[in-house]
Every structure is written in structure tokens, then in C-alpha cells.
Amino acid sequence: MRSTADAVIIGGGVIGSSIAYHLAKEGVRNVVLLERHSFCTGSTGRCGAGVREQWGSERNCRLAQASINAFEHLEEELGYEGDIEFKQKGYLILAHTEKEWEQFKKNVALQNSLGIPSRLLTPQEAKEIVPILNTEGMLGATYNKRDGHCNPFHTTWAYAQAARRLGVELQYFTEATGIRLEGGRVVAVDTTRGTISTPVVINAAGPWAKPVAKMVGIDLPVYTQRHQILATEPTGPIIDPMVMSFSMGIYCQQTPHGSVIMGMGDPNEPKGYDIGSSWEFLREMSRLILRILPALESLRVVRQWSGLYTVTPDAHPILGGVPGIEGYYQAVGFSGHGFMLAPAVGRIISELVVGKTPFIDITGLDLGRFERGELQVEPSVV
Amino acid sequence: MKRSVEERNWLEQRNVIVCRCEDVTLEEIRRAIAQGATTLDELKRLLRVGMGPCQGRTCRELLARELAEHLGKPVAEIMPPTFRPPAKPVKLGLLSRMVENAPRGDEGSSLEGGESR
């Protein structure tokens, strides 16, 4: 392992790997990426693999929009020989309550003003997109054809391999154990394989962002929470878009591979690091999904798992540096939608590190917003 | 025409299916290992090996042997993969009819019960 680097990234998920690639592309090539396990073992590899730009806040919309633009050409950009399985068959977001419907009207107006081609649909129009949809009790839906699915493993691997070719050292199975500061500046990172002298460290540790931030004395206002998910056996094409309901707290999408992936947010789930699987989830998930997609009844579940959301008080990530700790940057607190924002976030963080103005304005996504009390909560989350 | 040993090996790798659920060949597995995969979970993430209905029962040991050979380690030192429930594929319809408050460890019989929805 290198003993001196220009930057050290903590976290080998999609965020850390995207940052590694973008830093190298900016010319910062003496970079070490530290990952306690292997690539995609934290939240990335456990996520629902959805990609959408239908958000309720301008900041999330802009980050997602730029990321989808990047996903469209990612294999080419990264020189990836595999398939990241990016498909744009849309997100269909269902409204069952008046409150949702009112929010969706605002969301679509905001999205359209930013150039996102989402639209409001009647239940009948929604059924034309997903013929097996049960529209009973539905008030309407929103749909955006640019949303879709992407394979988190291949995307992360593609970023990591591209970064490696540009000179980044990928140190899997290596844990960061401490960050050394001198006079308010980052000077080194301690790891289970030795110390790396570096003026820059980037916290991209996903669910472990909080303990990593503690290494420089920051108490991040985030908590972790289990979200469960399942996959069925593959079947022929039956659902094009991601089907999602915020009031039911569920989402469901068929991957290009043919399996159907579905997950649920349980409001009673305790905070913490439990990533076990429960049979209660299988029961609740199947009950909810069969209400809106009853034709899935005979599909077999082949796998269930869970992963952690790292949630901030306003469901927006915390990006950038922190005043008083020179050389420390963070890209944390994605609140369940980090994978789909990774292309834009990687570029933004690398631009900050080299002293450029980020290509997307990230005012209000800094850590200081919580102290200032300037929170605009993202309403559209599962 | 007589084929060289290399050519025969290449043909063999390309055609041998190691993961029958997901149709993954020996050639694809060796390519992923050459790209840096060192564990069974990494092979799963890149190739879906062991993620089909049989949950890796067929290919797990073959994969471990490939990794061991490439890394020059005994098979016993290859990190075991994560095992995911359910042990056997179960229909969503059946799961939705599981009875409330079924005692733990008795899910099997509660599945048979079939409370009406």
C-alpha cells in the first residue's frame, strides 16, 4: 500500500468509487481508496437499483438529472466492457391519497421547470403503461420516461476499474482506523495496513459515515435504519417502469435480467445496524404488492436481504468540506438514494477537492445547514 | 483439423456452464477472476453466479476451486459467500397468506395454513 497519497477515500461503494474516478480524471491520480470489505458490501450492493429524477426538491432533482445524463453514456465514458444494465423505462409513482396527489402536482411543476419530462397521469393512462396494475383506489400517478434501473455492482466496478487504470490504488479489505489532524488540517489516515500521509481525506463510508466523521470530531446528524428487499425468479417482461407508492412505502421493478425486485420502508423499524432478514417483511411486502400488482401472485421469491439507509433530517445528502478542518470532505447521508446520485456527486466532490466551482450548485447541502436551521425536507421518499 | 491444446482449453472454458441457474460459463468466471475478483461474493456481484433458484448449491464449490487455484490458496481459505433466505423459492401469493403471529421457527407450517386475504 502507498504510504503517501494526494487523497484518501474512505468507502468502496458507488460514491467512493465515483469520487475516485472523477478525482483521477481531474488529474489527482495518487489516490488510495480504502474499503473495509469488498466493493459494494455496504449500502450500494443492497439497494433497489432504481434511478429517478422525479424528486420533490430542486437540489435532489438537479443531482439526479445530471446523474441520469451521465448514466446514459457511462459505459463509454468508463471504457467498461461489461454491461451496467442501464434501462430507461420510467418510474410510475402512484397516488392513493389527496395529500399525495397535491404533492405530485407541485413535484411535476417543479420537475418540468427544470427540464425533467415528468407528467401527471390518470389511473387509466397509468394502466396503459403497466397493464397488470390494479388502479382501484388510485387518484392518479406521475411518470417520467427518463427514470429507470441500473446495476449497482457493475456501475461501482466500472468506476473502480476506470479509477484504477488512471492510477488510483484500490485497497479492499483495508479499514480506516483514524484520521490525523495537525493544526486543523488533515495530515494522515491510519489503516489496518499502515498509515498513509495525505492532505485530503474523503468520507464516503455510507452507513459508517458517522463513526468516520467522529475521527475528526464531527457528530453527523444522521442515523441508520434497515430497509428490507426481495427478488423473485426471472420471468418474461411484465412490468416496464419502477412502480412506487409513498403512502404504502413500497417500490417494485423488473430488472433487465427478468427478476422482480421489491422493497419496503417500515416506519416502525428501529434505528441501528441490523441487516438481518425477517419473515414478517415477506408477509407485509407480498400483501402490499399484491394489492397493486395482483398478477405477481405466482412469482417465486428466491432471495431476500436488507441494507441500511443513512438518513439526514431533511432527506438530502451532506456534501463538501467542513470549515475548520482543512482537507476533510464528505459525501454522506444519502437517505436511501445515494446510488442514483453517484455520478453527479463524484464529480462535485472531485471539483471541490481541486478548487473548482462544482458544476451543480450545492449551496445548502453543507453540514452547516443543520445548525443554521435551513432545512427543506424532501417529501418523496420510501 | 487438429486443434492445439490452448485452443481446446479455450473452447472448453467457453462452453462449460458452471452456474446452471444463470448460465454462467467457466470463461466468464476466469475473466472476472483475472479482473481482480478474489471472493465468492465478488463473483456473485459481477456474474450472478449462485443467485438463482438453487442458491449456489451446484456451483459454489466449483467456484471456490477456481478461486483457490488462481490465488494459490487452499479451498478452505476462500471466504464463504453470504447465504440468503428463503432456502427454497416461495410464491408471493403463499407468503401473503402467512398467518399473523406465527411462532418463530414454525414458518413452514404457518405457510400451509393459508389465512384468507
Side-chain angles (χ1 to χ4, degrees):
Chain A
M1 191 175 73
R2 290 173 197 171
S3 58
T4 305
D6 294 328
V8 170
I9 299 162
I10 301 176
V14 73
I15 298 290
S17 302
S18 171
I19 294 170
Y21 164 73
H22 283 99
L23 267 179
K25 201 178 152 197
E26 287 287 350
V28 185
R29 298 188 171 196
N30 185 12
V31 174
V32 180
L33 181 145
L34 301 174
E35 163 55 52
R36 188 161 71 155
H37 293 291
S38 178
F39 74 103
C40 285
T41 30
S43 291
T44 305
R46 299 168 177 277
C47 81
V51 175
R52 65 166 152 136
E53 50 185 14
Q54 291 190 75
W55 288 95
S57 86
E58 180 175 341
R59 295 187 191 102
N60 274 335
C61 282
R62 286 193 191 278
L63 291 171
Q65 187 180 28
S67 294
I68 286 186
N69 290 342
F71 277 120
E72 285 178 333
H73 310 286
L74 202 59
E75 284 163 3
E76 198 184 351
E77 180 182 350
L78 301 178
Y80 191 55
E81 287 174 8
D83 181 359
I84 65 164
E85 297 170 13
F86 182 52
K87 75 156 194 192
Q88 287 174 291
K89 294 203 172 167
Y91 258 55
L92 184 72
I93 307 180
L94 314 179
H96 287 98
T97 67
E98 284 292 343
K99 193 179 160 216
E100 276 181 303
W101 192 231
E102 288 311 307
Q103 182 65 49
F104 287 4
K105 288 178 193 163
K106 285 184 214 156
N107 289 1
V108 167
L110 168 73
Q111 290 154 8
N112 291 172
S113 77
L114 301 171
I116 295 167
S118 55
R119 55 200 172 96
L120 294 165
L121 303 184
T122 63
Q124 197 47 46
E125 288 170 322
K127 203 170 168 65
E128 280 162 27
I129 294 170
V130 179
I132 62 168
L133 184 68
N134 174 17
T135 55
E136 199 186 313
M138 248 179 79
L139 300 179
T142 69
Y143 177 73
N144 175 34
K145 63 180 181 186
R146 269 170 51 88
D147 298 345
H149 164 278
C150 197
N151 182 312
F153 302 119
H154 282 280
T155 303
T156 307
W157 189 247
Y159 271 125
Q161 295 302 314
R164 189 173 55 90
R165 282 195 300 273
L166 292 170
V168 172
E169 185 174 299
L170 306 175
Q171 276 293 340
Y172 295 134
F173 301 100
T174 309
E175 187 175 346
T177 52
I179 298 171
R180 294 194 203 175
L181 302 175
E182 269 174 30
R185 308 169 77 99
V186 170
V187 294
V189 177
D190 293 317
T191 82
T192 45
R193 291 183 204 234
T195 299
I196 309 167
S197 299
T198 178
V200 172
V201 63
I202 299 151
N203 180 354
W208 295 278
K210 200 176 168 96
V212 169
K214 271 222 174 81
M215 294 175 185
V216 293
I218 292 173
D219 185 19
L220 283 181
V222 300
Y223 65 87
T224 51
Q225 188 176 38
R226 173 176 74 163
H227 277 242
Q228 299 197 62
I229 186 164
L230 66 81
T232 71
E233 61 193 334
T235 184
I238 42 168
I239 317 166
D240 274 344
M242 174 77 94
V243 178
M244 195 168 199
S245 161
F246 298 124
S247 57
M248 295 168 90
I250 58 170
Y251 60 87
C252 173
Q253 177 160 240
Q254 187 170 25
T255 70
H257 162 261
S259 60
V260 178
I261 291 182
M262 59 190 82
M264 193 177 103
D266 178 356
N268 300 318
E269 179 69 35
K271 297 169 184 176
Y273 282 90
D274 175 16
I275 48 166
S277 297
S278 73
W279 66 267
E280 290 91 340
F281 161 73
L282 291 178
R283 187 186 62 201
E284 290 314 309
M285 182 76 242
S286 55
R287 284 183 182 178
L288 291 170
I289 203 66
L290 295 181
R291 262 193 237 164
I292 55 171
L293 297 166
L296 301 185
E297 188 177 44
S298 56
L299 268 187
R300 287 178 178 85
V301 176
V302 294
R303 205 162 55 253
Q304 71 172 125
W305 69 97
S306 72
L308 297 169
Y309 276 27
T310 307
V311 183
T312 60
D314 58 1
H316 286 79
I318 306 169
L319 303 179
V322 178
I325 310 174
E326 205 173 319
Y328 172 80
Y329 298 85
Q330 47 194 9
V332 301
F334 288 90
S335 308
H337 48 275
F339 170 60
M340 66 179 83
L341 304 183
V345 166
R347 185 168 158 194
I348 288 166
I349 299 294
S350 67
E351 286 167 341
L352 289 171
V353 170
V354 299
K356 287 186 181 172
T357 304
F359 82 112
I360 294 176
D361 180 18
I362 55 158
T363 308
L365 291 177
D366 62 324
L367 179 64
R369 72 181 187 267
F370 302 104
E371 256 176 41
R372 298 192 302 269
E374 295 164 4
L375 304 188
Q376 287 180 327
V377 177
E378 167 60 59
S380 300
V381 284
V382 164
Chain B
M1 193 180 76
K2 203 170 180 308
R3 293 202 162 100
S4 68
V5 176
E6 288 78 18
E7 207 177 344
R8 277 208 311 274
N9 286 346
W10 178 77
L11 275 173
E12 198 180 303
Q13 285 182 30
R14 202 173 59 153
N15 293 325
V16 171
I17 288 178
V18 176
C19 170
R20 296 188 297 196
C21 296
E22 297 290 334
D23 278 348
V24 184
T25 65
L26 186 57
E27 187 193 26
E28 290 172 290
I29 289 155
R30 289 190 174 156
R31 202 187 305 138
I33 294 173
Q35 281 174 357
T38 57
T39 63
L40 289 162
D41 275 336
E42 286 169 329
L43 289 176
K44 265 172 80 172
R45 286 174 201 141
L46 291 171
L47 300 170
R48 283 198 175 86
V49 283
M51 288 169 82
C54 95
Q55 294 275 36
R57 284 182 186 82
T58 315
C59 63
R60 197 181 300 135
E61 289 180 13
L62 298 169
L63 296 168
R65 217 183 304 156
E66 274 304 312
L67 280 170
E69 197 172 305
H70 182 83
L71 300 170
K73 287 188 196 175
V75 173
E77 282 178 29
I78 300 299
M79 198 187 288
T82 311
F83 294 89
R84 303 257 184 236
K88 254 173 37 175
V90 189
K91 285 183 181 175
L92 280 166
L94 191 57
L95 291 169
S96 74
R97 292 191 292 274
M98 271 199 268
V99 287
E100 299 283 345
N101 305 319
R104 279 196 176 276
D106 197 25
E107 287 94 307
S109 57
S110 69
L111 283 175
E112 307 301 325
E115 184 192 75
S116 64
R117 265 178 300 145

